[in-house]
Amino acid sequence: MSNPADTLERLGDALVALVQAAFDDAGLARASDDDVLAVLAAAGRIRRGADALMTEAVAQIVDRDQQQPYPDRLTARHGCRNVGELIQRAARLARKSAGDVVAAAEAVGRPVSLSTGEVLPAGFPGMRAALRAGEVGVDGVVAVAGAFRGCAIGRAQMLAADEELAAAATGEGADAAPPACADELRALATVWATYLDQDGAEPRDAIALRKRGFMMGRARADGLIPVRGDLLPEVAAQLQREFDSVLSPRVDGVPVTGPRFIDQADASDSEAPDEAAADDRTRAQKQHDALAVLLTAAAASGTLPALGGAAPTLIVSVREEDLASRAGFAHVSGCHEPVSIAAARHVACAGAIQRVVLADNGRIVSISTLDRIFNHHQRKAIVLRDGGCVIPGCHVPAEWCEIHHVDEHARGGPTHTDNGALLCWFHHRTIDTGGWKIRMNQGVPEVRGPTWWDPSGRWRPSTTSPTRRHDDIALRT
Ligand SMILES: [Zn+2]
């Protein structure tokens, strides 16, 4: 290798010319899907190659630095406190990215023995070969090395794991899977590390227990409450399972594959709108809404410890005029932040209402309680009829749904099965604003979608009840 930097400079110039062509009006914007994907894949390869060169260069710097007293060190001579700072300046990387390159260099570099001058083998020779072949980048090496940090594993076992992980990284693993990305490598390496380091799990668990936490912050200017924390893996897994249970079978708008039923009305209507288009929430928004569902369900389960002698019910206070005029705001017990009238109407629709009349001086004049909760017989019957949230494409199952008073209770709508329809937390919360309309037609809920979803503006019966769909098939055949 005569002067690698010169060759790289020429390669870099050629790359810049390519980049400029790609950014031009006639560039990637005009390319076919296949060509855009091919560019992405090839750029990934270039990046892995650049990663490999940076890693080897940094390994050299680290190694040479260690052989010199401080003032003579390469880093010191260039005015940098350490290798990380030198990388940040030379390669214009963020501090974390520079730290990753150092970690990768330590994992796959081949240091020179200070005593014998002999070149020693790399810590992860398999990953070194994968990096050298351009099959893995710094992130993949760091994922593997990070999983084994602090583990007490013999060299032979370590080499066996390294060989298998490198095979996974290059797509030559026993399972014939395609080359693994860094996240997959981290997961695989973690399995290996815990398998080989049988004693390691215990202290790790103790550390995790100490670090666990869940905190709610102060309300921000936008009225949202930030949360942060670290969940133990089993708690996170439980939460994820429950999210999935609320959100299944569809997450992130990915349509359910395989056969599915369609409503009889839709079957004859080729203009039927696409259900998948109906839900444009992000995954984060869906998980937020799923959390709301879980909390409501837990409060209603009757199994939580009592708070002040009652189940931990959400108490919303709102002036009756504000609720009727849909202006102003409401308050929730346990939170200083005011909530919207829409939130109050949502809670009021599915809960009990206590009407408290105050005199001008604040004295309580009267209390009356309006029970508007559908009893469990009514609920079971509505579940049988509706199957789940009646908004098309929603698929939140019945057990996670609330019962909406279609004709508002405050305006005389009865707590009767002919006036109750299943809605998930999100669609119940946004029923006044989301563009979906619900009406009861001879005791059956019908839905009219927003115009962007269904320009025809038709009322459509909506059910996911297997019983009713079975009946539909029986009618047709
Ligand atoms: Zn819904």
Side-chain angles (χ1 to χ4, degrees):
M1 211 170 182
S2 53
N3 191 345
D6 282 349
T7 314
L8 275 175
E9 281 297 337
R10 282 198 295 279
L11 206 62
D13 290 343
L15 194 58
V16 167
L18 268 171
V19 169
Q20 284 167 352
F23 272 65
D24 283 347
D25 290 342
L28 278 192
R30 297 283 174 89
S32 69
D33 291 357
D34 285 348
D35 286 348
V36 171
L37 268 183
V39 165
L40 185 63
R45 187 181 171 205
I46 299 278
R47 181 183 168 147
R48 291 192 297 275
D51 273 4
L53 279 170
M54 278 200 285
T55 304
E56 185 58 15
V58 168
Q60 288 302 322
I61 295 170
V62 169
D63 201 35
R64 291 175 197 193
D65 258 15
Q66 279 170 355
Q67 313 217 8
Q68 300 281 339
Y70 180 74
D72 301 333
R73 284 184 177 180
L74 203 153
T75 44
R77 282 188 281 118
H78 289 81
C80 294
R81 277 171 295 129
N82 51 39
V83 178
E85 193 182 332
L86 184 69
I87 302 171
Q88 277 183 268
R89 293 187 198 283
R92 300 191 217 164
L93 295 187
R95 187 208 294 252
K96 181 181 181 302
S97 309
D100 284 349
V101 179
V102 175
E106 283 167 354
V108 301
R110 298 184 62 195
V112 176
S113 163
L114 287 174
S115 50
T116 63
E118 165 196 15
V119 179
L120 301 172
F124 294 83
M127 291 307 291
R128 178 183 172 85
L131 186 70
R132 185 172 178 273
E135 298 281 3
V136 72
V138 161
D139 56 358
V141 174
V142 168
V144 168
F148 288 97
R149 192 167 298 137
C151 292
I153 301 173
R155 180 70 183 162
Q157 289 178 314
M158 188 72 249
L159 287 176
D162 170 59
E163 192 181 334
E164 291 252 351
L165 290 163
T170 53
E172 290 160 8
D175 55 358
C181 70
D183 291 335
E184 291 162 334
L185 284 176
R186 179 177 295 108
L188 262 179
T190 305
V191 173
W192 269 100
T194 46
Y195 171 70
L196 295 177
D197 185 15
Q198 300 286 359
D199 302 331
E202 201 45 50
R204 196 181 289 201
D205 188 48
I207 295 167
L209 262 177
R210 205 167 55 240
K211 285 172 71 177
R212 79 196 189 281
F214 181 81
M215 296 293 292
M216 285 196 279
R218 270 172 214 268
R220 290 193 312 244
D222 56 10
L224 294 173
I225 316 293
V227 295
R228 64 182 168 82
D230 295 286
L231 300 182
L232 287 170
E234 66 270 31
V235 175
Q238 177 78 41
L239 186 60
Q240 190 61 55
R241 277 186 69 82
E242 295 184 10
F243 281 164
D244 293 346
S245 136
V246 175
L247 297 171
S248 69
R250 192 185 298 234
V251 180
D252 273 352
V254 177
V256 186
T257 51
R260 66 186 183 117
F261 295 102
I262 51 173
D263 290 331
Q264 190 167 22
D266 288 351
S268 57
D269 178 7
S270 59
E271 298 289 299
D274 178 19
E275 283 194 355
D279 195 345
D280 59 355
R281 285 176 292 163
T282 64
R283 184 184 174 84
Q285 287 170 335
K286 284 180 182 174
Q287 294 200 157
H288 170 277
D289 300 348
L291 184 63
V293 169
L294 297 175
L295 295 176
T296 310
S301 70
T303 55
L304 292 181
L307 199 62
T313 318
L314 186 67
I315 299 172
V316 179
S317 47
V318 59
R319 295 172 65 240
E320 197 172 2
E321 306 90 273
D322 291 345
L323 194 64
S325 69
R326 306 187 182 190
F329 46 82
H331 288 280
V332 185
S333 58
C335 175
H336 295 301
E337 202 61 18
V339 298
S340 66
I341 295 296
R345 287 164 52 80
H346 176 196
V347 173
C349 185
I353 290 185
Q354 197 171 53
R355 190 161 172 267
V356 180
V357 179
L358 301 177
D360 286 345
N361 68 348
R363 181 182 171 219
I364 297 168
V365 177
S366 73
I367 304 175
S368 54
T369 301
L370 307 168
D371 204 351
R372 50 185 310 169
I373 301 173
F374 288 88
N375 67 37
H376 72 276
H377 297 297
Q378 292 172 313
R379 188 181 168 92
K380 279 180 190 160
I382 291 171
V383 165
L384 177 75
R385 186 194 65 205
D386 295 349
C389 178
V390 298
I391 302 300
C394 176
H395 297 293
V396 169
E399 56 267 36
W400 299 119
C401 284
E402 302 172 357
I403 302 175
H404 171 56
H405 285 81
V406 177
D407 195 3
E408 212 177 322
H409 191 272
R411 298 183 180 180
T415 300
H416 185 282
T417 50
D418 281 353
N419 189 40
L422 287 185
L423 283 180
C424 71
W425 181 90
F426 167 70
H427 285 117
H428 202 183
R429 175 71 170 72
T430 56
I431 196 65
D432 289 338
T433 53
W436 296 97
K437 296 275 176 277
I438 301 178
R439 72 174 184 192
M440 299 301 289
N441 185 1
Q442 299 180 325
V444 174
E446 291 186 341
V447 176
R448 192 168 72 187
T451 45
W452 61 261
W453 181 72
D454 179 12
S456 74
R458 269 183 40 193
W459 284 101
R460 299 166 187 275
S462 175
T463 184
T464 51
S465 160
T467 310
R468 282 183 63 206
R469 288 180 161 177
H470 185 274
D471 289 352
D472 275 350
I473 293 171
L475 274 176
R476 278 200 293 264
T477 52

